[in-house]
Amino acid sequence: MRANGPIGSLVMAAVIFAIAIAACSTVSTGSEAVACNSPGVSADEVRIGFVFSDSGAGSGALSPSRAGVDARLGLANEEGGIHGRRIEYVMRDDETSLSRNARAVKELVGKKSVFGLVAATVTLNDAMVQLDEQQVPVVGLAAEATWAAHQNMFSFIYTDSPGAVARYVGSTGGTRVGIVITGTAPSTLELAAKYTDSLRAVGVASDLVPFSAASDSPVRTVRELAEKGVNALIGLSTLDDLAAIMQAARDEHLDLAASVALSGYDRQLLATTGPTMSGLSFPVYFRPFEAGGAAIDRYREAVARFAPEIGQPDRQMAMFGYIYTDIFLRGLELAGPCPTREVFISALRNVTHYDAGGLISPVSFRDNAGEPSPCAAIVQINAAGDAFDVARERICSDGAG
C-alpha cells in the first residue's frame, strides 16, 4: 500500500498513529500485532463484513464483486496483512432486498461484531442511519443518493461524469444528441437534465427520447430522430432499448457519430449481444482493462490466483469490489496498529490523493462525497462486436485528457 505524499497528510497520519497507540490495551513495536478492544479486531485478525446482492434482481450485475474482494484480500494477507493481522470477512447476500439487507447488516454488525463493511448493493438505504450512529465504516457502491450524507461511508465514485461524456460526444462530431430514457422517474429526468446542460455547455444540442420496446417502434423513433437532425445517442435506458434503436438506425441508414450507454462494460455483454451493439461506447471510471499496465496486471493475477471461479477477470463489478476492498485496507492501515472505527473514519476522510495503486484517477475522500466524477475513460465495442477498444484513455469535464 502506498503512503500519502503531501506534508499535511503525513502530519495527520502521525497524529492518528499517536491516538491509535493510546487506545491499545497492549503497546506494539514494529509490525507486530497487538490485542485491541475494537469490534472485529483480535491479536491476529480483523474481521469485516461483506454484504452484496448474490441473488435477486441485482445479482447479475453485482455478484462478480465478490471475486474482487477475494482477490484484494488474498494479496493483502499474502503480504502479511495489515499491521500484522490477517483480514477475514463474513459474507451476507441481501437478495437485492431492502428488508433483507437491513437484517443482514444488523447481524454482521451485532451478532458477528465486524469492524466495518464492504458493500456491493443498491439496497443499503434502510441500514445507513444505524451504521452512521454506530460509526461503522462502510466502503462500496454509492448507488443511493443518501450515501453522500454519511461521513462513515466512502466510495471512489458517487455519480458519473456528464461533462466528460458530453465532451466525448462533441469530439466525435456529434451535433445533436437523442437522450434515450426508459420511464419517467424523477431521478431519470433529473439525470437527463444534467446531460442536457453538459451537452449545451460544449455546444451540442439534444432531444429527450422516451422509449419502451413494449410500446414504441424503433424504426418510427429513428425516423423522428432523423427528421430532427439527431446524429448521436446517449442511453439513460435499458441496454435492450438502446440496442433496438441502434439496430433500427443501421437499418434506416442513420449515421451515428457516437452512441453511449452509461453501464454495461463487461465481456459477458459481448458474448450475448456484442454484434448488435457494435460501436456502442461506455464511460469507465477506472483504468480500462484493454489499456493494460502494471496495475491491471496485478489485478488480473490476483483474480486468477484467489478467485479463479469467476473465469473471466475483466468484469466491471469485480474491479469495483477490488477497489472497494483496497480503500478499506487503506483505512485500516491509516488507523494504526490498534484500529478503532472512529480513527479509521477520520483518517480515511482526510486522504486527499487516492488512486488505488494506479487503477483510478486520484480522488479526495475529503470532498468527493456526492460529487460527479470529473474524468472518465471511454471504451467502445469494436465493429465485429467481439471486443472493447479504448476510445479515450482519459477525458475530463474541464477539457483535460
Side-chain angles (χ1 to χ4, degrees):
M1 301 288 287
R2 300 195 301 182
N4 291 327
I7 297 293
S9 294
L10 292 176
V11 173
M12 177 61 69
V15 172
I16 290 167
F17 182 83
I19 294 171
I21 289 292
C24 291
S25 59
T26 305
V27 177
S28 170
T29 58
S31 61
E32 179 186 351
V34 297
C36 300
N37 296 322
S38 295
V41 180
S42 67
D44 58 2
E45 177 184 295
V46 176
R47 183 173 60 255
I48 66 175
F50 173 46
V51 59
F52 75 132
S53 298
D54 197 32
S55 60
S59 61
L62 298 173
S63 61
S65 59
R66 183 181 181 184
V69 174
D70 286 339
R72 188 63 190 90
L73 289 184
L75 279 180
N77 288 329
E78 183 178 68
E79 294 166 357
I82 303 297
H83 296 295
R85 294 185 181 88
R86 288 184 58 82
I87 314 301
E88 303 291 348
Y89 73 82
V90 183
M91 178 191 72
R92 289 293 181 269
D93 171 19
D94 68 9
E95 303 171 14
T96 324
S97 161
L98 282 166
S99 60
R100 179 71 185 100
N101 181 281
R103 290 196 300 272
V105 168
K106 185 176 181 180
E107 181 181 2
L108 288 170
V109 174
K111 185 177 179 180
K112 298 299 181 181
S113 191
V114 299
F115 181 85
L117 297 175
V118 172
T121 177
V122 297
T123 56
L124 193 62
N125 188 71
D126 289 0
M128 288 185 189
V129 172
Q130 169 201 346
L131 291 167
D132 196 339
E133 289 175 347
Q134 295 179 261
Q135 287 289 279
V136 178
V138 183
V139 180
L141 180 64
E144 298 154 287
T146 43
W147 268 74
H150 300 283
Q151 285 293 299
N152 64 311
M153 303 181 72
F154 301 84
S155 191
F156 70 97
I157 173 175
Y158 283 79
T159 66
D160 59 349
S161 181
V165 171
R167 285 194 177 275
Y168 168 69
V169 171
S171 74
T172 66
T175 55
R176 192 173 194 91
V177 177
I179 301 176
V180 183
I181 63 171
T182 300
T184 56
S187 58
T188 301
L189 296 178
E190 182 180 346
L191 184 58
K194 291 179 180 178
Y195 274 90
T196 296
D197 292 344
S198 295
L199 289 163
R200 185 185 300 118
V202 296
V204 178
S206 62
D207 294 284
L208 209 59
V209 185
F211 182 84
S212 171
S215 57
D216 296 314
S217 163
V219 171
R220 184 167 59 249
T221 298
V222 165
R223 289 173 180 172
E224 291 173 356
L225 293 177
E227 290 175 1
K228 293 178 179 180
V230 166
N231 72 339
L233 298 173
I234 293 177
L236 311 184
S237 62
T238 68
L239 279 174
D240 288 343
D241 283 358
L242 186 58
I245 292 177
M246 289 179 62
Q247 184 59 57
R250 282 190 284 268
D251 294 342
E252 292 293 306
H253 306 291
L254 173 62
D255 291 331
L256 296 174
S259 53
V260 181
L262 300 190
S263 63
Y265 176 45
D266 194 311
R267 285 187 177 273
Q268 296 294 105
L269 176 69
L270 301 179
T272 55
T273 56
T276 303
M277 297 184 178
S278 62
L280 184 61
S281 300
F282 303 85
V284 181
Y285 298 98
F286 54 85
R287 182 171 178 80
F289 298 117
E290 293 74 21
I296 293 294
D297 290 344
R298 177 174 164 84
Y299 161 80
R300 284 175 171 153
E301 290 166 5
V303 172
R305 293 177 57 207
F306 300 109
E309 64 280 356
I310 196 174
Q312 171 54 254
D314 293 1
R315 309 283 302 274
Q316 181 168 261
M317 276 311 302
M319 176 62 83
F320 274 32
Y322 185 91
I323 295 172
Y324 298 151
T325 307
D326 188 76
I327 295 171
F328 202 101
L329 295 175
R330 173 65 67 85
L332 280 176
E333 182 182 50
L334 292 175
C338 192
T340 67
R341 289 168 170 174
E342 292 78 11
V343 172
F344 177 109
I345 292 167
S346 176
L348 190 56
R349 189 58 68 189
N350 279 286
V351 171
T352 59
H353 189 95
Y354 170 80
D355 68 356
L359 287 171
I360 63 173
S361 295
V363 299
S364 169
F365 294 130
R366 186 177 295 174
D367 53 21
N368 78 322
E371 295 299 317
S373 295
C375 304
I378 305 290
V379 299
Q380 184 177 49
I381 299 178
N382 67 8
D386 59 4
F388 292 101
D389 294 329
V390 179
R392 298 287 191 281
E393 194 161 305
R394 187 169 185 262
I395 188 167
C396 301
S397 55
D398 63 1

